[in-house]
Structure formats: structure tokens, C-alpha cells
Amino acid sequence: MSTTPPPANLALPVTDPELAHRLQERLDRVETLLAGHVRAHSSYVTEAASHLLDAGGKRFRPLLVLLAAEAGSDPENDAVLTSACVVEITHLGSLYHDDVMDEADVRRGAPSANARWDNNTAILVGDFLFGRSSELTAELGPEAVLIQARTFTRLVEGQILETVPPGADEDPLQHYLEVVAGKTGSLIATSARYGAMFSGAPAEVVEALAAYGEIVGSAFQLSDDILDIASETGESGKTPGTDLREGVPTLPVLMAQSQAVGSTDAADVRLLDLLSRPLTEDADVEEALTLLRAHPAMDEARSYVVAQAEAAKKHLSVLPAGAVRDALEAFADVVAVRTG
């Protein structure tokens, strides 16, 4: 067996050197294909559509396609590479729209498209990328078209629900979990589904990996919520309290609010007051972070994400023991306790 260490830049924790090098080689091919797929007839559109692709990113979704394809008999199938491009281009298109909705100035360390150009350009480039991903999906056949359509519907519905507060008879936490499942879990589930499906994996494996992707994808976002509060500046590469500043409800915040309602404890009363509005003053953000970090809701949130990771891993029982299953299990474990 090769003693060459695995590539260090894979977004998934693949420790088997041979598997890691196979994935890296295929991911490099996907990267080349992506650069071609975002080209347009107009140099202006090409520049704008290439903007976020060139800014980098972990390429987690196409990598999951490639890893899931290892569960089938034909992981080298061209359709696997095409479907890897489909999910990444869909993801990129959603980022252009996200940045407009969030009025973001920076994405992946570079100016966001709406900041560099304008909102209209960013929205239309996002639409262009969605159109390009649809073209590629059509090459994969009618079943893939239906899967992609359903995925896109869920993704957009999740984005819409994020802008709408839960109704009076709705549980705010369940509302938020539905948002996360739509915005994040749906496309990651499809990534795993496509990889297994186009490599010829049995139907049982395809469904199991899609279920795994749905859960672990949502858990990844929920662990991000915890990092937004728990990490110190610079520790995770994120600025702590970003969601608090924007008034975005997240898993630990919603759990803390639920626990603090009706409490007479001075810290709970103050926390509820702070969480009732976007926080624009640095001192308020720091106070809210201090109160949240000490609140039992943080442990509850961590326990929830760990339980989700365990639930995701149970779906992997259909896979034989080996490097592929190990990598998927390791990713679920990393999601549960990650610090960046």
C-alpha cells in the first residue's frame, strides 16, 4: 500500500492515501470543468460569473459527489464529474443571491458580486449560473432533472422562509430547522445521491447516502451557528457574533430564548432583551456573547448536533467497512465537534 500522505487540502477528512489521491485527481478535473462551464458569450458575464469561483472555496459538495461515487462500481463515470459540477454551480448561484439578500460586502475574502458590481448584476448572474446548472443536469437525463428541480425548489423555499418569521402557532426552532434543511441539507443530500447514483451504486445505497447527506449537511450549518458564538476572534476564521449583529436567529440563540422565557434570573432577562433585536453596538454584541457562552443552551445545542451526526452515521451501515465509510463517518464526527 502507498505510504504517501493524503493531500492536505481536501475538505473532507480522508485519511486513506490512495482514496485521497483519487479524489484529489478527480476534483482537479472538476475544477477545470467548472471554469469552462461558467464562461458566457459576453466577457462581462464571464467575469462576473467566474468571480466567486475564482475566489476559491472548499468544494465540499462536488467532493462529496466524488466520495459517494466510490460506493458504486463506476466512480470514473463522466456523469459523476458532470453532476459534481451541477451541485457546485447551483451552490455558487445561491451565494450570489444570498449576498444580495444579506447586503454582504465580502464573500470568500473577496468583494461580493453585489459590492463589486450591483444588486441587479449579482441577481442575474446567479440566475445565469442556475441556468447553466440546468443545462448540465439535462445532459444527465430526466431522473436527474427531476431530482435537481426538487432540490432547487427546497433550496429556494428555505431562502424564502429565512426572511419570514414563524407564525404565532409555529415553533421558532422547528421553523429554523426547516430553513436549514432547505437551504443547506437539500443540496448536500443531492450531492451524495448523485455520486452514488451515477456510479451505479444499488438503490439502497443511493437512498442511504442521500439521507446521510441531508442530516450531515444540516448539522454542518448548525455547528456553524455554535461557532458564531463560541469561537474567539480569529480562532475559526469567522468574526464571532456575526449572526447576532444581523438579528439572525440560530440554534443556540433559539434554544436560549426558549429556556429563558418566564425566567426571573437577571442574566436571562437581560439576554432576552438583547436577543429581541439586531445588535449594532459592539458592547451589546460582546455582552450577548458572554451571556450565551455561559448559558446551558450552548451545551444543549452541542448535544443536538452530536446527536444529528450520530443519526447520519447510522445510514452508513449499508456500506462495507473500509476507507469510504471511514471518511464519511469521520466527516460526521468532525461536524459534531469542529472548531472552524
Side-chain angles (χ1 to χ4, degrees), residues 243-308:
D243 294 325
L244 292 174
R245 287 180 173 85
E246 297 174 355
V248 177
T250 59
L251 181 68
V253 166
L254 289 166
M255 287 180 167
Q257 287 176 313
S258 177
Q259 292 182 24
V261 169
S263 172
T264 57
D265 181 81
D268 280 345
V269 172
R270 176 58 177 161
L271 182 59
L272 282 176
D273 175 54
L274 289 167
L275 297 180
S276 66
R277 61 184 188 275
L279 302 178
T280 56
E281 300 295 329
D282 288 345
D284 286 344
V285 173
E286 287 303 316
E287 184 181 3
L289 286 172
T290 298
L291 291 170
L292 282 166
R293 287 167 180 167
H295 201 280
M298 289 297 290
D299 286 337
E300 183 184 3
R302 290 188 182 99
S303 296
Y304 181 85
V305 173
V306 168
Q308 290 297 101

Side-chain angles (χ1 to χ4, degrees), residues 64-138:
L64 182 57
V65 173
L66 301 177
L67 179 57
E70 291 281 334
S73 59
D74 188 14
E76 294 277 4
N77 194 311
D78 285 346
V80 172
L81 299 181
T82 300
S83 63
C85 292
V86 165
V87 296
E88 184 64 9
I89 293 173
T90 302
H91 174 58
L92 285 170
S94 73
L95 296 183
Y96 281 80
H97 288 184
D98 270 350
D99 286 344
V100 172
M101 293 172 67
D102 297 341
E103 300 179 349
D105 295 323
V106 177
R107 168 72 71 174
R108 294 178 173 175
S112 61
N114 47 301
R116 179 169 173 178
W117 290 280
D118 53 43
N119 282 347
N120 287 340
T121 296
I123 291 169
L124 291 171
V125 169
D127 291 344
F128 168 81
L129 291 171
F130 289 142
R132 185 51 51 85
S133 70
S134 296
E135 286 183 84
L136 291 171
T137 307

Side-chain angles (χ1 to χ4, degrees), residues 204-227:
E204 178 189 20
V205 172
V206 173
E207 294 304 321
L209 288 180
Y212 163 89
E214 175 90 20
I215 299 171
V216 83
S218 294
F220 190 87
Q221 175 58 54
L222 298 176
S223 66
D224 218 40
D225 293 352
I226 296 170
L227 281 177

